[in-house]
Amino acid sequence: MIIAIDGPAASGKGTIGKRLAAHYGLRHLDTGLLYRAVGKSVLDAGKTPDDRKAAIAAAQSLDLTRFDEATLKGAEAGEAASHVSAIPEVRAALVNYQRAFAAEKPGAVLDGRDIGTVICPDADVKIFVTAAPEVRATRRGNEYRAAGKAVDDATVLADIRKRDERDSSRAASPLRQADDAVLLDTTAMGVEEAVAAAIRIVEARRRG
Ligand SMILES: Nc1ncnc2c1ncn2[C@@H]1O[C@H](COP(=O)(O)OP(=O)(O)O)[C@@H](O)[C@H]1O
Ligand SMILES: Nc1ccn([C@@H]2O[C@H](COP(=O)(O)OP(=O)(O)O)[C@@H](O)[C@H]2O)c(=O)n1
C-alpha cells in the first residue's frame, strides 16, 4: 500500500505519516527533508537559494547522510527549501529517489507537497492535511521552543504564510490537493484524534 500525504507547512503531515507507517508496517519518507537538504547545501556552499546553478548541482549530487535532521528541521533550511523547490530541475533530480522509495515492498507513506499529484498519482490513499495557519504557527513555535530556540509565534506565522504562498503559486508541482485526496483539517484535533481520523480515512479507502 502507498499512502500519499500532502499539505501546507506544519500541518501535521510528518506526525501523521510516521504514525500511519507504524500502524500499517510501512516505511515513511518525509520528502521535505530532501528539499531542506538541497537548500542547506546551497547555503553551506556560500550561495543564495535562488542560485539556480548551485541548487541544481546540489540536488543532483545530494548525499543525505551528510545532514543532521535537527539542522534540516530548522527555519533557515525550511526557507531555503521553499526557494530551491520551485526550480524544475531540482524537483526532477529528486523524483526517481522518491518513486523508488514508494515502490519498494511492502509499500510506504510519503509526505510532502506533490506526492498525490505528481510523485505517486496512483497512490492507494491520498490525504491532504491542513489546519488554520495560526494553529500551525503555534504548533511549530512550540516545537522550536522545545528544541531551545527562542521564537515568537508571529514570526513563525509570517514564515509559514510566505512559504505556503510560494509553494502554492509556483509553476512546478505546486502545493495542491489532488482531486481524489481526502481533506483532513486538524485545526480542532490533538495528535491522537488526528491520527485516528487518518486511520479511518485509510480504512474507508481500503474497503473501497
Ligand atoms: N493534531 C495535532 N495537534 C497538536 N500538535 C500537532 C498535531 N499534529 C502535529 N502537531 C505538532 O505540530 C508540529 C508540526 O507537525 P509536523 O508533523 O512536523 O508537521 P509537518 O510535517 O506538516 O511540517 C509538531 O511539533 C507536531 O508535534
Ligand atoms: N514534496 C515536497 C516537500 C517539500 N517541498 C518544499 O520544501 C519545503 C519544506 O518542506 P517540509 O515538508 O519539510 O516543511 P514543513 O511542512 O515541515 O514546514 C516546503 O516549504 C516546500 O517548498 C516541496 O516543494 N515538495
Side-chain angles (χ1 to χ4, degrees):
M1 173 164 66
I2 297 176
I3 302 177
I5 303 181
D6 293 299
S11 54
K13 304 178 296 294
T15 302
I16 290 172
K18 256 193 213 105
R19 291 283 298 271
L20 284 180
H23 185 83
Y24 290 105
L26 303 170
R27 291 156 318 114
H28 172 236
L29 179 64
D30 172 352
T31 66
L33 287 178
L34 306 176
Y35 294 94
R36 285 171 178 267
V38 174
K40 186 69 175 68
S41 301
V42 172
L43 296 177
D44 288 349
K47 311 275 186 180
T48 64
D50 286 323
D51 185 326
R52 295 177 61 88
K53 241 176 105 178
I56 295 166
Q60 289 175 346
S61 62
L62 193 63
D63 172 9
L64 283 173
T65 60
R66 264 193 52 229
F67 302 91
D68 146 57
E69 190 165 329
T71 307
L72 292 185
K73 290 277 187 185
E76 190 192 43
E79 178 67 15
S82 85
H83 285 272
V84 298
S85 67
I87 303 168
E89 294 90 338
V90 166
R91 305 198 71 84
L94 303 176
V95 165
N96 287 347
Y97 177 83
Q98 296 173 81
R99 289 199 179 135
F101 187 95
E104 249 178 68
K105 295 282 171 221
V109 182
L110 285 83
D111 77 82
R113 301 293 185 289
D114 61 339
I115 308 303
T117 51
V118 174
I119 300 297
C120 302
D122 298 325
D124 300 283
V125 186
K126 299 181 186 178
I127 306 177
F128 193 85
V129 185
T130 190
E134 293 77 9
V135 169
R136 293 190 275 121
T138 302
R139 291 175 183 168
R140 183 52 49 86
N142 287 341
E143 186 184 328
Y144 286 156
R145 286 184 287 274
K149 291 175 208 156
V151 290
D152 63 273
D153 289 352
T155 307
V156 179
L157 176 60
D159 167 72
I160 278 178
R161 284 195 192 281
K162 210 166 47 183
R163 269 201 299 131
D164 288 348
E165 169 58 24
R166 206 178 284 134
D167 292 344
S168 306
S169 61
R170 68 182 177 222
S173 306
L175 166 65
R176 175 175 86 69
Q177 182 178 345
D179 296 337
D180 51 351
V182 179
L183 181 67
L184 175 55
D185 185 336
T186 71
T187 302
M189 293 180 188
V191 169
E192 294 308 321
E193 218 181 321
V195 170
I199 291 173
R200 282 198 299 275
I201 291 170
V202 176
E203 291 304 314
R205 282 288 151 129
R206 290 218 298 183
R207 282 195 301 270

